[in-house]
Amino acid sequence: MNEHDDLHDEKISALYRQLPPVEPKQETDELILAAARRAVGAGPQRRLRTGWRSGLATAASVLLVGVLYVWQGPAYRHAESMASAPVAAPAATMAAPAPTPVAVAPDIGALQAAGPEPESPAVPVPTASGGSKSVHRHAVAAAHAVSPAPVAVEEKAEQPAQLAENRLAEPKPAATSQLFAYSDAPTEKLSLSAPSASPALADNSMPESQSRSMAPPVSNVDIDGLLDDKPAPATAPSAGFALAAPQMQGAVERPVYQLYMEQGRYALAYQQIDITLALHDPWVRLDYDLLALLDNPAHRPLLCRQHPVKRADDAIVHDACLVLHGYAAGSGLHRAAQAKARRRLAKRIGEERPERDYWLRALDALEEKRAEARKAQ
Amino acid sequence: MQDQSDEALMLAYRDGEAAAFDQLYRRHRPRLFRFFVHETGSQALGEELYQEAWLRVIKARERYQVTARFNTWLYTVAHNVLMDHFRKQGRIGRFEETREELPDTPACPTREPDSEWGRSLSARHLERCMEGLPLEQREAFLLKEQGEFSLDEIAAITGAGMEAIKSRVRYALKKLRGCLEGLL
């Protein structure tokens, strides 16, 4: 092939090969490799669970038959005896409509011989299925809570395959409950999903110490309370906030921000959560990029504080602030503005493809502008 | 295990050998990651899509059959992940309209072609020029350069016709040459 024809250009190829190498993070590698190992190891476990379920279903069925027999047996036996017994002795049979111990005992014995006796027959079946459904609903709701836009909710509902992938990555309930901190949902809904209110989740994998350290999420917050002059601390505060992030092997963790109360004022702080649950939500991805900004302590106090970014200054950063405020405030008042800002932001990012450090540069420029304005005053 | 082909490793993983996946992952890790980063123009987003692609590979292992090179299958998965992502963002479809547009690119920097710095600068400039390419053209270019796929394979990966792929590569190169004018 020629050095330069319309389908190949050796100079461009050479230039491409000179691009600096890029590497995924070690956490990403670990997560993928752990998922691969889990997937291979999951086969027998699944079969085991299936066997257990089918055994339980069989036992429940047998028990149901037994119960029905006990309930309806006397009448059945009575009818049978009426059909077969001599006409001379009807009164004795008719006088005893309730089942006698003598009649029932052999049947229960037969049931016990057929399989293990279920201790509380009505409980295990619904608990087993209902429990997993509860986890599933919880995961879906958590993903919805992170992306309150209705569009995202619909997408989630329509994509069971993605949810299955979420389950493949084994999202942790602890992270799930933390995600609710960003919900626009009212407080009652949040409290329903708290670990303590969901024993199936609490005893699944969340350590008790973490459950205790989870502060109730702040919602319905007055946005003005957030926008104080006090810079957010470099580390998570010691009160009113979940300090210890769950450290699960192979989890990809990103900083996520949450409101906390310190000395009667609201401020932003962050903690690490497992993002695997939210991995398939593009809105969350978008916001993670924005939130990553606050990793830089120098810029943390600048972002969106006191609504300093006017639309005329920088439309993208302004929208980013609205999105962040929507998260932070959790207030119905801001939901519409947040949803609109999300859409505008996604569109503009899609079209303009700002570089990764766009936010920092924009904020620096705004800060310089403000400093000049202060000097002029 | 190191001498085994990609396809053999994937079959071994399908049959439950976790170490085979480790080997496979290490072989394809740098290239696939680079593909995603350049395709999205963002390390963070590229990383998330890269992760999603591998998770899909893991999930699809039971259905894996050797019908083509593993590399082609892997990049088909990667292509699907990208398309799903851009479809959700509503970005697919708009690129057809901008096919003839040349990207807005920054002014060419002063060139010192023989220096290391000059070469590095040119390479970085290429990165920015690639970001200006429409999605489909960028993908075709990257599959060709990064994945070293033939045009036939690119057509198979993207599900597009051969002529469409040729056209995308041709346009991509034309735009890159225009963007890199003075640096090549």
Side-chain angles (χ1 to χ4, degrees), chain B residues 104-133:
Chain B
D104 291 327
T105 51
C108 289
T110 311
R111 190 191 177 201
E112 293 181 40
D114 298 331
S115 70
E116 188 65 34
W117 181 82
R119 280 193 294 275
S120 164
L121 195 70
S122 303
R124 264 183 270 148
H125 198 67
L126 171 67
E127 217 166 12
R128 298 191 70 174
C129 292
M130 282 191 307
E131 284 183 16
L133 290 177

Side-chain angles (χ1 to χ4, degrees), chain A residues 4-9 13 16 19 23 25 28-29 31 36 39-40 162 254 285 353 355, chain B residues 13 16 25 29 33-34 38 40 47-48 51-52 61 85 88 91 123 128 144-146 170 177:
Chain A
H4 176 165
D5 61 31
D6 62 346
L7 289 173
H8 183 77
D9 191 320
S13 297
Y16 184 82
L19 283 173
E23 295 264 316
K25 288 179 190 156
T28 306
D29 289 341
L31 174 74
V40 170
Q162 291 189 347
R254 292 289 177 86
R285 284 194 198 116
R353 299 173 66 87
E355 290 178 10
Chain B
Y13 175 61
Y25 179 75
R29 173 182 173 271
F33 184 70
R34 201 179 192 194
H38 289 157
T40 59
E47 189 142 16
E48 283 165 16
Q51 185 177 313
E52 189 172 335
R61 74 193 182 284
H85 170 72
K88 277 181 188 169
R91 290 178 56 188
R128 298 191 70 174
K144 187 169 167 296
E145 294 298 334
Q146 181 65 54
R170 198 176 289 126
R177 281 185 207 115

